[in-house]
Amino acid sequence: MECASQKNQEFPVFLLSVRIIKAINITSRDSLSASDCYVTLSLPTATQEKFRTQTIKNSDSPVWNETFYYRIQPEIKNIIRLELCDDDPFSKDDSIFIVYFDVTRVQPGDTVLELFCFRPEREDCYKHECLEVEFRLAASSGSAEQLISNGVLVARELSILEVKIDEVENKKLLRAKKTMVLTVQESYEGTQKTTKGLNCFRFHCVKNWEPILKVKLQGVESTGGHDSNYILIVPLKCLPVGQEIKLALPTENGEALELNLQVIGWPQDLDVRLGYKLCAEEQDFLCKRKKVVADALSKLFYLRRNLLEHEVPVIAVMATGGGVRAMVALYGHLLALQKLKILDCITYITTASGSTWTLTDLYQDPDWSHRSLGPAIKTAKTRILRSKWDVISIDKLKYYRKQLDERVEKGHPISFATLWGLVQASFLNDKPNCRKLTEQRKALNEGQNPLPIYTAINVKDKYVSTFEFREWIEFNPYEVGFQKYGAYIRTEDFDSQFYMGKLVKRFPESRICYLEGIWTNIFSRNLLDGLYWSSSPEEFWDRWVKDMAEKDEEHNLKDGYTTVYKPPCSSSGNLCEIFNDILTDRPLKGANCNFLEGLEFTYDYLYKNKFSEWKDTVFDSFPGKLTPVEKSLCLIDVGYFVNNSGPPLLKPERNVDVFIAVDYDCYNIFKQTEMMSKYCEVQGIPFPKINLTEEDRKNPKECYVFSDEDPKAPIVIYFPLINHTFRDYKAPGVKRMPKEMCGGDITINGEDSPYATKHVTYSADNFDKLLNLATYNVLCSKELILQSIEKAVQKKQTSGL
């Protein structure tokens, strides 16, 4: 399977047999008697059902010789979980050890005998606790399976069952205090029940799992524990595809209840775009934008001829986060770029956290970059100057409650991030904000403005720290998606329900304020995040690089497979788990529908270049712990890993030549760009090294240019928020008069700074100073910017790329 684009192919299904033979030298966990052992088997890529052997009583070397069968698809990554347990009738069963075995080790026609030892590093395994298992893979008589893949993720062929009950008959059931319960255990939906106004149902199931429909009648007030007799059991494979079948079901009063069943053929046009190429809309935008950029460069450099398409460099503005400070400063930077006639040379603008507020304001105007930014800045200033205490008034609280209730009625999940989005919208706007991200397409339809990209990271909601697991996700007016997985959905479908790449239930598009609640959720960190930011960042990077090296060494094993052993829990282990919960839980997190749910991984996904480029978490070698298995996404502010919006620009498909990096960190100048450079170095992504002197750190200049000998590395034009000349100069080369010195007296860092991230209200004087500082930095650096762009043009012309 290729990794470049989505491909649809048919592959045979195989039969895997797993024979649990015996265990050896098992030490009893209760110390009162010999072990009562059993083994559980779980292979979620083949079935949701968990199998279990019988329990062998009072034996330290139990023998089972029990065989279990799975119909598997070898083209996907099949990891079977085996757990050896000690049965305890008086308390929770003890886990002796757990094995994760990669079925790729077993080739068709082979029989593989494995001895899993609790201490696999010991030379003589038979002297220690171990489990003997035989695996056999044979061709299956079943039909082949359709797969759609981008080389990393796989969408499997679905059976979509539609069930209808007559509306009148449904009303009769409800009047009789009865409800029909429909269950397809193997489906995305699981169990559904008839209710008032709901008498048509769909079930989405993996066809290869041979799903079964079970129907029963149940009293409305019943708990479900006694009324469990099914009046209908139908394997879906028995139903003809595309043909409606009518069945008459008996009821208690002797009447027949009619049910209409139809299996719908699997539509192979997925609603999740699996592919690493840019979407068609973005490619169309780029064609139009290149003409705008070429014309702007021609005027800027007085060129005798317009640049050819391949000679036009891709220039991007990359902003960091920083609350209102970032919002105001980004206005200043864009204003200066506009004055220098460079804004029309920009193709992308990426933002994080507070800098996203600037773009969501500007893109209300479809032609904003060609108009004076003065009115927009004046409006932003008015909002930032006014008091924010009314955001928690009784009327506002009632308004939030009403909005949340309406969102629930529409089917959307809600969380603290949803409420936070409403609160933010209140202190950033004078009236309710009903805008949507897709409305920004109007500002792109002629390539008239740069393409805005908003960033977040997906993390685990608990048990795992941000530094062990986080994945970049981008939002733009066209798509939302993960560059690591090469999986994207249309922006208007974000927060709708998906399964196996198909849209299961569409909800109305979320207002942009709810997205801002994700991008700027400053309350979503856990205690480990806080401990990290209170320590030296160099410590984290050293540890992270070491972990990456150890992970690669651990999982690049011979024969391309991995077996992982997990020791049993102990009392101290349980205590550690409790502390881990406290450290990693995110009490004020968000929850969004996971559009990757159900998708599988190819058997060799780890070795695909596109995936490897973004493979940077401890779980990347364990597909059963990655995002497609989760019910929901946990999206948070990027600032809890790298407070930088650059990763979407690092996609080779975007081929960015020049980064204009604007940094709003007020405590550690250069930190965010240095972290991005280090991140790219570890990941093997071309990016220049950030070389600085001690003088640079003590007295930063207005602008720095970083480049690299690697022709694939972009040129980085870096603007720190602080510089050492603004205090004495009000404009490039124009010194302040004595009475104007107060205009340069600006304190960015420190707890008493009016620009601290916690402050959401500024005075008029502080607003103007920050805006002028950001504008000054860029205006002072005109020659450096033009030289860098000219160098990028020359590189394009000589390379022909």
Side-chain angles (χ1 to χ4, degrees), residues 446-627:
E446 298 300 328
Q448 68 269 41
N449 299 295
L451 177 68
I453 299 176
Y454 309 87
T455 55
I457 52 174
N458 179 50
V459 297
K460 299 288 186 181
D461 61 353
K462 63 186 333 182
Y463 306 128
V464 179
S465 74
T466 305
F467 311 113
E468 291 177 308
F469 182 88
R470 84 260 119 213
E471 299 171 332
W472 298 98
I473 183 171
E474 70 169 79
F475 294 73
N476 68 58
Y478 300 128
E479 288 191 317
V480 176
F482 291 92
Q483 52 205 59
K484 176 166 117 178
Y485 298 119
Y488 300 85
I489 57 171
R490 294 184 64 78
T491 301
E492 55 265 43
D493 291 333
F494 177 72
D495 243 358
S496 291
Q497 293 179 359
F498 288 80
Y499 179 67
M500 201 59 74
K502 292 299 296 180
L503 185 57
V504 173
K505 189 174 183 180
R506 176 178 275 118
F507 298 136
E509 181 183 355
S510 295
R511 289 156 49 190
I512 204 166
C513 66
Y514 295 121
L515 302 182
E516 289 175 324
I518 296 169
W519 305 331
T520 61
N521 189 353
I522 60 175
F523 304 103
S524 57
R525 74 178 183 179
N526 54 37
L527 288 180
L528 280 184
D529 294 339
L531 290 173
Y532 162 65
W533 287 113
S534 64
S535 62
S536 166
E538 287 75 15
E539 293 179 10
F540 163 67
W541 283 107
D542 290 343
R543 185 178 77 247
W544 185 68
V545 171
K546 181 181 178 182
D547 288 347
M548 286 289 291
E550 291 177 352
K551 179 159 65 72
D552 286 343
E553 181 179 347
E554 176 185 353
H555 296 297
N556 288 338
L557 303 180
K558 62 180 181 179
D559 300 328
Y561 73 96
T562 305
T563 304
V564 181
Y565 300 83
K566 178 182 176 182
C569 294
S570 63
S571 57
S572 61
N574 291 333
L575 188 61
C576 288
E577 288 181 11
I578 293 171
F579 277 109
N580 187 50
D581 288 354
I582 295 171
L583 288 170
T584 60
D585 189 25
R586 303 177 189 277
L588 300 178
K589 55 185 174 285
N592 301 92
C593 295
N594 180 13
F595 56 87
L596 299 186
E597 187 174 356
L599 293 168
E600 307 282 7
F601 287 88
T602 59
Y603 69 92
D604 59 349
Y605 77 96
L606 269 174
Y607 304 100
K608 298 295 186 180
N609 290 336
K610 295 293 185 181
F611 182 84
S612 297
E613 197 166 34
W614 300 102
K615 176 170 67 76
D616 67 349
T617 81
V618 297
F619 289 154
D620 285 329
S621 298
F622 303 93
K625 295 184 178 181
L626 291 175
T627 300

Side-chain angles (χ1 to χ4, degrees), residues 276-292:
Y276 287 86
K277 292 181 179 179
L278 303 179
C279 68
E281 292 88 348
E282 184 172 343
Q283 293 183 47
D284 180 62
F285 161 80
L286 288 175
C287 289
K288 295 174 180 176
R289 187 64 182 172
K290 281 192 174 184
K291 295 177 182 177
V292 175

Side-chain angles (χ1 to χ4, degrees), residues 2-21:
E2 296 296 328
C3 205
S5 59
Q6 177 177 301
K7 297 188 74 174
N8 178 12
Q9 291 180 268
E10 188 173 85
F11 295 94
V13 175
F14 285 77
L15 184 66
L16 173 71
S17 64
V18 183
R19 183 162 69 100
I20 308 299
I21 301 174

